[in-house]
Amino acid sequence: MAKSKEDGTGSLVVVIIDVNPVWWGLLGTKQTNEPKLTLSECMDHVMVFVNSHLMMSHKNKVAVIASHTNESRFLYPRRILPGQDQAVESNRLTDGKYEQFAVVNDSVQEELKLLVAHDHTMLHTDTLLSGSLASALCYIHRIEKECKAGEKIKSRILVIKAAEDSAAQYMNFMNVIFTSQKQNIPIDACVLEKDSGLLQQACDITGGMYLKIPQMAGLLQYLLWAFLPSPEIRTCLEMPPAIHVDYRAACFCHRTLIDIGYVCSVCLSIFCTYSPICSTCHTAFKIKAAPGLKAKKRKKTAAAGGSAPAR
């Protein structure tokens, strides 16, 4: 039998988990009738999803990134010192687990403990999601460059979002989105609480799936149902309907999302208030005041040549 073209194709999924300690801490204090989801339970659900992806094919690969308020850290693959990998592998030969599952699970647990234990001071409360996405793109590029001749790998990114959006990261976020679109890397988003306008744009532009789960306790079911199938297989399945995407932009002056603003004709920077000098490219405009909106002319209701209506 002739080999199919897909025999040499693997799948790489980079999972980005929002481990914002402020959001997870506030979630535990909220009093709701629904069952609460802790960070440890969320990680258990994610690890089942990761192991399921690895189990689908021996050519599949995964990477797990923790997006914290202070840094973005790879939970898997972890940084191993020279001579450390052999000792770790020899200890796991007798534990009775599938080796790949054991390596991924232990690495994620150990690195997450180090991240939570060492980050006592928080510089800000926003999740560094744009930095995590940039790290994911760099890792995907490295894996694709390391593929041997005749091997192909299809990559995608899954973001598990917890905290709210940060308008200050709008520019970095959009740069990452357009880079993913150019590299044909879909971005999927699984939102736990409030809708994310930035991730809605990311999923819509890159061809990924955006899903805000109605119940946090059912995270595992949504991961296996909606995000485990590849984008090619999703077309054959009954997936959640498309959502209305919020395409509002963030102004460069206050980093707030706006509906109507002023755009610099030179560098295309967006501002919520008018300024005769662009703060980005320092271009000076001749118009000293904000241009007013012209009133639209009312269309004549009477037909041409007809009489005017009576008052």
Side-chain angles (χ1 to χ4, degrees):
M1 295 178 61
K3 293 184 179 179
S4 63
K5 295 182 180 180
E6 300 295 332
D7 287 345
T9 303
S11 177
L12 169 62
V13 176
V14 181
V15 183
I16 300 176
I17 309 172
D18 189 350
V19 295
N20 190 318
V22 178
W23 187 88
W24 286 103
L26 293 176
L27 180 64
T29 60
K30 293 181 180 179
Q31 308 210 351
T32 57
N33 297 329
E34 298 181 2
K36 298 180 181 178
L37 180 70
T38 62
L39 179 57
S40 60
E41 293 174 349
C42 177
M43 295 303 301
D44 292 339
H45 295 178
V46 172
M47 294 316 302
V48 174
F49 167 80
V50 168
N51 294 336
S52 301
H53 175 72
L54 293 175
M55 192 168 51
M56 294 181 67
S57 175
H58 68 281
K59 297 179 181 179
N60 289 355
K61 298 181 179 180
V62 295
V64 183
I65 301 177
S67 186
H68 200 268
T69 56
N70 291 350
E71 64 172 312
S72 298
R73 175 177 296 193
F74 272 89
L75 303 182
Y76 177 83
R78 62 185 304 186
R79 293 176 294 178
I80 300 179
L81 300 176
Q84 184 181 2
D85 51 348
Q86 297 179 357
V88 172
E89 185 176 355
S90 61
N91 292 334
R92 286 176 178 150
L93 292 177
T94 58
D95 59 4
K97 295 181 182 178
Y98 176 59
E99 288 302 318
Q100 186 65 21
F101 291 173
V103 171
V104 176
N105 294 346
D106 295 346
S107 175
V108 170
Q109 292 178 2
E110 294 172 5
E111 287 295 328
L112 184 60
K113 289 179 181 178
L114 293 176
L115 176 63
V116 175
H118 289 179
D119 277 336
H120 298 293
T121 59
M122 290 183 297
L123 303 178
H124 45 77
T125 58
D126 297 330
T127 304
L128 300 179
L129 186 57
S130 59
S132 301
L133 287 170
S135 300
L137 290 178
C138 293
Y139 180 77
I140 291 174
H141 179 71
R142 193 189 80 181
I143 294 299
E144 292 178 349
K145 295 287 286 186
E146 293 177 353
C147 288
K148 300 179 182 179
E151 292 184 357
K152 294 182 181 179
I153 189 167
K154 294 183 179 180
S155 306
R156 55 191 173 102
I157 301 175
L158 171 61
V159 180
I160 300 178
K161 188 75 163 60
E164 298 182 3
D165 287 338
S166 174
Q169 303 180 34
Y170 176 79
M171 283 303 301
N172 298 333
F173 205 96
M174 296 306 298
N175 290 334
V176 171
I177 292 175
F178 290 122
T179 303
S180 301
Q181 182 191 32
K182 187 176 181 180
Q183 299 297 328
N184 295 323
I185 301 175
I187 298 178
D188 299 328
C190 180
V191 181
L192 300 181
E193 192 177 27
K194 295 184 178 180
D195 279 310
S196 171
L198 296 179
L199 284 178
Q200 288 179 358
Q201 298 181 34
C203 298
D204 187 59
I205 293 174
T206 61
M209 175 179 294
Y210 178 90
L211 177 62
K212 179 184 177 298
I213 60 176
Q215 295 181 356
M216 296 185 190
L219 174 61
L220 177 59
Q221 285 77 6
Y222 292 106
L223 290 177
L224 298 179
W225 164 52
F227 299 106
L228 184 60
S230 61
E232 294 78 12
I233 301 179
R234 292 173 189 170
T235 57
C236 305
L237 302 176
E238 189 69 24
M239 291 285 106
I243 61 169
H244 175 71
V245 182
D246 184 7
Y247 268 107
R248 289 185 301 169
C251 65
F252 284 45
C253 46
H254 302 95
R255 304 295 182 183
T256 56
L257 298 178
I258 57 176
D259 296 317
I260 301 177
Y262 300 92
V263 181
C264 174
S265 59
V266 178
C267 65
L268 302 181
S269 298
I270 304 172
F271 303 96
C272 59
T273 56
Y274 178 78
S275 175
I277 300 177
C278 177
S279 60
T280 304
C281 62
H282 304 289
T283 301
F285 299 98
K286 296 182 179 180
I287 303 176
K288 301 301 180 181
L293 296 176
K294 296 182 180 180
K296 295 183 179 179
K297 296 181 179 180
R298 296 182 179 179
K299 295 182 180 180
K300 296 181 179 180
T301 56
S307 59
R311 295 183 180 179

